[in-house]
Every structure is written in C-alpha cells, then in structure tokens.
Amino acid sequence: MKKTVVLYPGLAVSHFAPMVQLADALLDEGYAVAVAIIDPTVNGDITLAAVVDRIAASKPAVTFHKLPLIQDYSPAIVHDAKFIVRYFDLVRRYNQHLHDLLLSMPMPPGSNVHALIVDMMSVEALGVANELGIPGYTFFPSNASALAATVQLPSIRCAEGQPALRALGDTPLSFHGVPPVPASHLTAEMLEGPGSETYEALMGMFARIQESRGILANTFGSLEARAVGALGDPRISPKMPPLYCVGPLVAGYSGEAKKEKPHECITWLDGQPEQSVVFLCFGGTGAGIHSEEQLKEMAIGLDKSGHRFLWVVRAPAPDDPEKPFDPRANPDLDALLPKGFLERTSGRGLVVKLWVPQVEVLNHKAVGAFVTHCGWNSVLEGISAGVPMLCWPMYAEQRMNKVFMVEEYGVGVEVIGWQQGMVKAEEIEAKVKLVMEGEQGKRLRVRVSQHKEAAAVAWEDGGSSRSAFGQFLTDAGCLRQRPTRS
C-alpha cells in the first residue's frame, strides 16, 4: 500500500515555499504527498494565494487541499504585538477541518496517511495528529542557531516577575552552540517579560515543537555544526527530539535558457562584467519598510560607491498607519530618489520596481554582492549562489540571523546604521567598497564559496541533508527502497 505524507505549511510565503520543496524529495522516494493549507484568502493575502496556486500548478503529482473557510470568522492577522497570539488562535480554529481532511484520506486510492509534518507556527495541529495516531513532525523553516538560542531562553529568563529582556539593551546573552546574541536582537515576542501573553505564546510554541516526533530544519549540517551539536546535547536541551537538517530547501534554478522572455534585469545583467554588480533586495514582504529619507541615502551611497548595482525598490508606507497602503503599488521613482540619480547612474545601475527573480539574479555571474534583510530564505539563496552579503536586518529573527551570518558562518558584514534607524550614504558607500574591493570582501567570498560547495552536495547521494532525510524516513517507519539513480 502506498504511503502518504501530509504537509501542513504556514500562512507566509517564507514558510510555505521551502516546506513544499520537501514534496519533491518525498516524491523522489516514491511516496504520495498531500499539502493541506488554510485558504490564504482567510486573511486577504493575495501574494500567498498567488504563490500557492503557482506552485500547485507546477507540482501535478502533489495533491493540494485548501481547508474551507470557517463561517462567521474573519480574523485580523495583522503584524502587530498580538500577531502570534492571533495566529495560534487561527490554527486552533482550523484543527477540526484538518482532522476531517485526514479522516477523509486515503488519497490517492490505495494509500494511507503515514506522517504529518506541520509548520513551526502550526504546532497546535500536532494534537490532531496525536488524536488520529499519526506521527507528527515539525518543519522549522529557519536555522538551527535560532532554534538553539530560543530553546535555551527559558533557562536564562524563566521566572515570572523578572524584568523583560528589552531592559537589557545590547547586553550579550550567552547560549551554547552560537555566538553571543545582544538581547536587543531577539524577536519582539522574546523581548516581552515572562508572563506576557506574547512571550508565553512563543515559549509555548517552542515547547510544543519539542513534543513532536522530530524537527526537519531548513539548514545543512556543516553550516551550523556547533548549533546542531548543542541541540543534540541532552545536557543543553533534554527534551529535544531528533533534528534532521534537510536544507538548503531553495527553489531550483537550472541556468538553462527559458522559453518565456527573461526579466529585464537578467537581460541587463548579461551585459555586465563578472562579479561587478551589487544586488539590493529586502524580501517579498519588505514593502514599505524604508522611508523616503532612507531611500535617498541609499541612492546617494550607491552613486558615490562607483559600483554597478541592481536595486529593487518598493514604495514606503505612509507615515500615518491609519492610511490605507497597498505594498504592491508601483513606487514613483522620480519622486522617491534624488533628482538626476536615475540619469547619472543609467547603464551602471538598474532600479526595478517591486520584484525580480531573486534566485536567478543571485546565480548570475555578474552579481558580486547581496544587500539583504537577512530573511533565512534569502540567506540560503545567497549562500547557495556563493555571494557575500551586506547584512541589513529588519524584523522578526533577522537580527539574530545577522549575528550568525557575521560571527558564525562568515558570509557577511553588518550594515551598522540599521540599529540607529538610518543607514547613511557614507556607510553604504564604504560597505559596498569593502565587499567589492577590500581584503575583507575577498575573505568573505572565499568563505561563502566554501559553504556554496557544501550546500551543493548536501542533497546529493551520500550528502548530509540527503542522509538526514533518509534517517527521518527510517525513524518515521516509512522508508522504502529507492530506485537506483542512473
């Protein structure tokens, strides 16, 4: 009887996209795969809805199930201080729909549900798996270093009534397996004091993660050997289930000519010298993060650096949070950027509105550096392409990622001004020159190239991630003989 693994990704592109990459690996091993997802329209997320539809169309061998909307329920999942609490409530409300879907299987005919893998933000659904007697696993879309730091946090600040971590400012916190992390670099939920609703919700999530049968993390062993070792040490994390490092789960790019017309930026990059272009992009949800003043400082710094650049620009959010804002709105470049900037840099630079095919850009031979918000998907894409990075974190765990990128992996240099809320043109100019011209930039390039080579073989036969995935299948009791590769 054919066995089915059900994936239950989270409601964010950065969580959904890497998790469904697991479908390809499962199909390659000969298993049926079903993806269950809360209908993205529940929160009006048009971007995620489009990504889900596009990926579903590209994977005809995978069965996609959008859980039906709950009548008379319209959640307001906004990214504010209560986001995580509201999100967990949403997942709990959909547990019955997930339960009913799992009961309605086998799908396809002749199969049975053998395992459920849930996104880290959907661990409330593990209760459904337990109720039905289905082994439940957690998918962790971020890095092992962040996981190691977070599971150790209660031992540092565990008693209710202690001051919130935000009171410690930039005081470094010591965790096993990772470099010291300034308290200010923790996520907003972690900075709340014990006893606060958001802190308790976050710590509850990580406690539930550790109750799963295992954790599949989007990383590879050689990149984070110290953190992986700490997570496997029962003295440090006594409740930690098996950790399977199955990354990098990055959208593939073959480099072959495509039938459709290439994006304008690819055509432009084709005409640039090798490793000569600085690429600036701040993630799929980075819209509205940079103010008009910051955009002008960036333009001036790029202009003065003298280097070629490809820059993805989005319109800033209005100063008044009550005003409506559409992150997909085309920015008025002439109004946002310094007068004459586009004309002065024409040919040397290209400014693109809203979006570019990032993986394809990073793998282009003309790209020599990547200015990134340090979202984990972007970090893995940069490493897999062998491109050194300028680290400009924005929110969530990105500030922690910056520490690991600079201090542990050795793949980036920090853009300091973000900590004061404004990166000045002088720093942008200096950091671009440092990476593109300086000795430190050369060292970064060597280090990231080493990680690129390790990432390239991780999913090959005998590679660390392929082996970890095989171990997961063995531990889950669903390993079968895979056809010999030709």
Side-chain angles (χ1 to χ4, degrees):
M1 179 179 288
K2 201 170 187 179
K3 296 174 179 178
T4 297
V5 176
V6 178
L7 307 179
Y8 192 38
L11 285 177
V13 173
S14 58
H15 288 231
F16 176 85
M19 187 173 187
V20 295
Q21 295 275 345
L22 284 174
D24 296 332
L26 288 162
L27 291 171
D28 193 38
E29 297 287 351
Y31 302 100
V33 181
V35 176
I37 185 169
I38 297 172
D39 193 324
T41 61
V42 71
N43 194 41
D45 193 333
I46 299 174
T47 300
L48 176 60
V51 169
V52 170
D53 291 343
R54 176 174 55 80
I55 291 180
S58 71
K59 297 182 183 297
V62 179
T63 306
F64 284 78
H65 302 271
K66 288 183 183 178
L67 300 182
L69 297 174
I70 297 176
Q71 292 186 350
D72 303 321
Y73 177 58
S74 180
I77 308 298
V78 295
H79 288 269
D80 60 9
K82 296 285 187 180
F83 166 76
I84 192 170
V85 175
R86 295 191 184 99
Y87 191 98
F88 292 165
D89 177 66
L90 173 70
V91 173
R92 280 192 293 269
R93 287 173 180 264
Y94 272 85
N95 275 351
Q96 186 60 51
H97 281 323
L98 179 64
H99 177 277
D100 294 344
L101 172 65
L102 295 174
L103 275 183
S104 72
M105 294 178 173
M107 175 63 116
S111 71
N112 66 315
V113 178
H114 195 84
L116 173 68
I117 305 176
V118 307
D119 178 71
M120 61 173 282
M121 294 285 286
S122 303
V123 288
E124 291 292 335
L126 289 172
V128 176
N130 292 336
E131 181 181 345
L132 296 176
I134 300 172
Y137 293 82
T138 300
F139 178 71
F140 192 73
S142 191
N143 50 72
S145 298
L147 180 61
T150 305
V151 298
Q152 294 177 63
L153 191 61
S155 65
I156 295 177
R157 276 296 204 258
C158 59
E160 188 170 344
Q162 286 184 321
L165 283 167
R166 68 173 72 255
L168 298 180
D170 293 332
T171 301
L173 303 177
S174 296
F175 301 104
H176 295 285
V178 300
V181 179
S184 61
H185 286 35
L186 301 177
T187 66
E189 294 84 5
M190 295 179 194
L191 292 175
E192 298 291 335
S196 73
E197 190 176 17
T198 54
Y199 180 91
E200 296 303 329
L202 183 72
M203 291 299 107
M205 179 186 79
F206 279 94
R208 291 299 302 272
I209 288 174
Q210 294 176 74
E211 294 171 4
S212 64
R213 288 275 294 267
I215 303 169
L216 290 85
N218 189 15
T219 188
F220 54 103
S222 65
L223 180 67
E224 303 190 87
R226 285 209 307 148
V228 172
L231 287 167
D233 188 339
R235 297 171 299 175
I236 297 170
S237 49
K239 298 180 180 180
M240 185 61 58
L243 176 69
Y244 309 99
C245 297
V246 296
L249 297 170
V250 173
Y253 169 65
S254 66
E256 299 174 358
K258 298 184 177 180
K259 293 181 180 179
E260 64 269 20
K261 183 179 179 181
H263 192 281
E264 63 168 317
C265 71
I266 302 300
T267 302
W268 182 82
L269 286 170
D270 288 342
Q272 309 306 316
E274 188 170 344
Q275 294 185 347
S276 66
V277 176
V278 179
F279 173 48
L280 301 91
C281 187
F282 296 88
T285 58
I289 290 212
H290 292 136
S291 65
E292 290 190 32
E293 182 183 1
Q294 181 64 87
L295 290 172
K296 286 182 169 61
E297 290 288 333
M298 294 166 73
I300 294 170
L302 289 171
D303 194 356
K304 290 185 175 180
S305 76
H307 283 278
R308 294 173 171 84
F309 61 88
L310 169 59
W311 182 15
V312 182
V313 172
R314 297 183 175 95
D319 294 333
D320 184 355
E322 297 298 323
K323 290 183 178 179
F325 173 60
D326 183 358
R328 298 165 298 151
N330 281 322
D332 183 350
L333 298 180
D334 289 328
L336 291 174
L337 304 179
K339 185 176 181 180
F341 170 76
L342 294 173
E343 291 77 12
R344 284 194 306 276
T345 59
S346 178
R348 176 167 67 87
L350 178 65
V351 180
V352 179
K353 299 178 181 181
L354 298 177
W355 180 87
V356 297
Q358 181 165 290
V359 173
E360 188 175 358
V361 167
L362 287 169
N363 281 277
H364 198 286
K365 61 181 178 60
V367 173
F370 179 25
V371 184
T372 175
H373 66 310
C374 303
W376 188 240
N377 287 317
S378 290
V379 174
L380 284 182
E381 290 165 6
I383 289 173
S384 297
V387 179
M389 289 169 267
L390 283 79
C391 305
W392 186 335
M394 301 288 181
Y395 50 84
E397 85 291 354
Q398 294 164 11
R399 293 167 292 186
M400 297 174 67
N401 291 347
K402 179 268 301 181
V403 174
F404 309 142
M405 293 166 68
V406 175
E407 304 295 338
E408 187 75 1
Y409 317 148
V411 299
V413 61
E414 181 180 7
V415 179
I416 301 290
W418 72 269
Q419 298 191 44
Q420 289 74 48
M422 180 62 61
V423 180
K424 294 294 187 180
E426 293 78 12
E427 185 182 7
I428 294 170
E429 176 188 0
K431 292 293 170 61
V432 166
K433 289 181 176 179
L434 181 150
V435 174
M436 297 296 283
E437 304 172 11
E439 289 300 317
Q440 185 174 352
K442 293 178 182 178
R443 290 193 295 271
L444 288 175
R445 203 171 302 280
V446 169
R447 185 66 172 148
V448 75
S449 294
Q450 293 170 343
H451 288 310
K452 174 186 176 180
E453 293 175 4
V457 301
W459 266 102
E460 297 295 327
D461 284 337
S464 63
S465 295
R466 173 66 73 177
S467 298
F469 187 68
Q471 188 63 52
F472 154 69
L473 293 175
T474 299
D475 294 345
C478 58
L479 184 65
R480 65 185 290 275
Q481 184 65 42
R482 183 159 54 92
T484 303
R485 293 171 182 267
S486 58

